[in-house]
Amino acid sequence: MLAPALVADAMLRQEAATSYQELSEEVEHVAEHPEQVEEGEVDDNQEDTSSAILPVLDSESGTSSPSVRFSKTCLKNVFSVILLFIYLLLMAVAVFLVYQTITDFREKLKHPVMSVSYKEVPLYDAPGIALYPGKAQLLSCKHHYYDHIPPLINPGQPGGIECTTQRINYTDPFTNQTMKHALIVQGPRDVKKRELVFLQFHLNETDQDFSAINYLLFSSFQEFLNSPDKAEFMKDCESSYSSWKFSGGFRTWVKMSLVKTKEEDGSETVEFKQETSVVNYIDQRHKPASDQLFFVVFEWKDPFIQKVQDIVTANPWNMIALLCGIFLALFKAADFAKLSVKWMIKIRKRHLKRRSQAMNHIS
């Protein structure tokens, strides 16, 4: 009974001595190399911080082999490189979008888009009709409605003049030498009732091969009446508006439409467009060959005024918002790329350190 007790007591004493010797060696190692312990703690802290920046593929266990740790580090490096290249590609795309946005904005500023709109009106401002009859005589002028013109009574003879007319003489604005004689007639107003103005002229003799009467349209007959210098007003109208003709022996039906154009400086110009239809007049009078009759009808085509203006489609606020979003993406991508590079450098240093520790331990 005494011998086994002595043997057990000896074994316990040997194990305690061995544990004490190992603990003494570890304390001496810590005392001799305190920087290694501190670096290990700093590495652990950096590992926790890096795991918050990028997702860790798998947690490292203390019992894993060096080959497993090396493969995980390689996967982390490859994943970081791929992310870095993706964000560099996104940065390049963002820079291209900035350039393209600025280029498109400048092109839209240089080339505005024409906008056309229509405004419906029940009544027009009565236009002015300037006629240059020459030797022709005005026989009749009447207002009719609903596109109805009654049959002619005693064609070629003077009839009723029921229109507001005024004669004006002025010098030609292009030559300043020729005196022009114009007959100004108030045009139709009521487009809903299809109001029209019917005029009849008579030319007894002419020394020309072709006979026609010139006319032009201007926007407002009332402006002509209110103008203090009517001759100068007509010179400006002739310089601004186009002139047309209607021939003898026909009934010329003119359907007018109004176009208002807004210029870049904010001013507004008025232009007349017209559609003309011509019907031959069967003259049953016994007359000489030089005796001719002229018939002309003026009517509004429709109750819509066409408005034309140039619109710049480039919106500066949209461009500013887009640029802000692109620059924000650039800053985020640059920040992420910087953190990714730092993380890769830290992983590389940690791998080299562990490799050198393993070599030292083996040696």
Side-chain angles (χ1 to χ4, degrees):
M1 295 293 293
L2 182 63
L6 293 175
V7 172
D9 184 66
M11 291 178 65
L12 291 172
R13 290 179 180 178
Q14 185 177 1
E15 289 177 1
T18 303
S19 301
Y20 178 78
Q21 184 178 2
E22 290 176 356
L23 180 61
S24 300
E25 289 177 358
E26 288 179 1
V27 171
E28 290 175 359
H29 180 74
V30 170
E32 292 176 358
H33 304 285
E35 67 277 3
Q36 292 183 0
V37 177
E38 292 176 358
E39 288 177 1
E41 293 177 356
V42 171
D43 290 341
D44 293 337
N45 294 332
Q46 290 181 351
E47 253 184 64
D48 295 337
T49 306
S50 64
S51 64
I53 298 175
L54 288 175
V56 180
L57 297 178
D58 192 7
S59 60
E60 296 183 359
S61 60
T63 58
S64 59
S65 63
S67 62
V68 174
R69 290 197 298 270
F70 179 74
S71 63
K72 291 181 179 180
T73 303
C74 288
L75 288 176
K76 292 178 182 179
N77 291 336
V78 171
F79 182 70
S80 300
V81 171
I82 292 174
L83 283 180
L84 182 61
F85 276 107
I86 290 175
Y87 275 90
L88 288 176
L89 179 62
L90 292 177
M91 289 175 64
V93 172
V95 172
F96 174 76
L97 286 177
V98 170
Y99 170 77
Q100 193 66 30
T101 301
I102 296 175
T103 303
D104 292 344
F105 183 77
R106 294 178 60 186
E107 287 296 324
K108 289 179 180 179
L109 286 179
K110 292 180 181 178
H111 303 91
V113 178
M114 181 179 293
S115 172
V116 180
S117 60
Y118 293 89
K119 179 182 178 181
E120 185 176 3
V121 293
L123 292 174
Y124 280 95
D125 188 8
I129 305 171
L131 300 127
Y132 304 90
K135 296 181 180 180
Q137 177 187 2
L138 177 63
L139 297 180
S140 64
C141 177
K142 294 183 179 181
H143 289 261
H144 300 286
Y145 295 90
Y146 300 106
D147 293 341
H148 175 68
I149 300 176
L152 297 176
I153 300 174
N154 297 324
Q157 300 298 322
I161 298 179
E162 302 173 359
C163 305
T164 304
T165 61
Q166 191 168 2
R167 294 185 180 271
I168 185 73
N169 300 325
Y170 63 94
T171 56
D172 194 320
F174 301 104
T175 61
N176 290 326
Q177 295 178 355
T178 307
M179 183 63 69
K180 305 195 74 171
H181 308 280
L183 172 65
I184 313 300
V185 180
Q186 182 179 6
R189 295 185 67 246
D190 197 341
V191 65
K192 294 294 185 179
K193 294 182 180 180
R194 298 182 183 179
E195 180 185 1
L196 57 88
V197 176
F198 178 60
L199 297 99
Q200 180 183 178
F201 291 88
H202 172 247
L203 181 62
N204 190 16
E205 58 181 11
T206 179
D207 54 356
Q208 298 179 355
D209 296 331
F210 301 95
S211 60
I213 294 178
N214 296 338
Y215 69 95
L216 66 84
L217 304 172
F218 56 91
S219 58
S220 176
F221 181 78
Q222 190 63 38
E223 288 184 6
F224 167 75
L225 294 179
N226 297 334
S227 175
D229 190 351
K230 295 181 174 54
E232 192 66 28
F233 180 87
M234 289 307 304
K235 290 173 68 174
D236 293 339
C237 288
E238 189 170 352
S239 302
S240 303
Y241 297 99
S242 301
S243 61
W244 294 275
K245 298 177 182 290
F246 59 92
S247 301
F250 299 93
R251 187 192 67 184
T252 304
W253 199 302
V254 179
K255 292 192 174 184
M256 306 173 293
S257 58
L258 197 62
V259 179
K260 294 184 178 180
T261 304
K262 190 173 183 180
E263 304 294 340
E264 294 181 358
D265 57 357
S267 61
E268 191 175 64
T269 60
V270 179
E271 178 186 0
F272 280 91
K273 291 185 177 180
Q274 59 176 336
E275 296 179 1
T276 304
S277 61
V278 178
V279 178
N280 186 31
Y281 171 65
I282 302 174
D283 196 349
Q284 300 178 355
R285 300 173 302 150
H286 299 285
K287 59 177 181 61
S290 60
D291 193 321
Q292 289 188 344
L293 294 177
F294 299 78
F295 304 96
V296 63
V297 180
F298 293 96
E299 180 188 12
W300 287 109
K301 178 183 176 183
D302 50 46
F304 298 101
I305 298 177
Q306 182 178 346
K307 292 188 175 182
V308 180
Q309 61 179 347
D310 292 335
I311 296 179
V312 178
T313 57
N315 191 341
W317 295 110
N318 290 342
M319 189 194 72
I320 291 173
L322 181 60
L323 291 179
C324 288
I326 291 174
F327 281 123
L328 181 62
L330 283 175
F331 288 139
K332 290 293 183 181
D335 186 53
F336 187 87
K338 180 177 69 174
L339 292 178
S340 299
V341 170
K342 287 183 178 180
W343 188 80
M344 290 172 60
I345 294 173
K346 183 184 67 175
I347 291 296
R348 180 64 178 170
K349 288 181 178 180
R350 184 187 302 171
H351 174 67
L352 292 177
K353 180 180 177 180
R354 288 179 179 176
R355 184 177 178 183
S356 62
Q357 287 178 353
M359 295 298 294
N360 293 334
H361 181 70
I362 294 173
S363 61

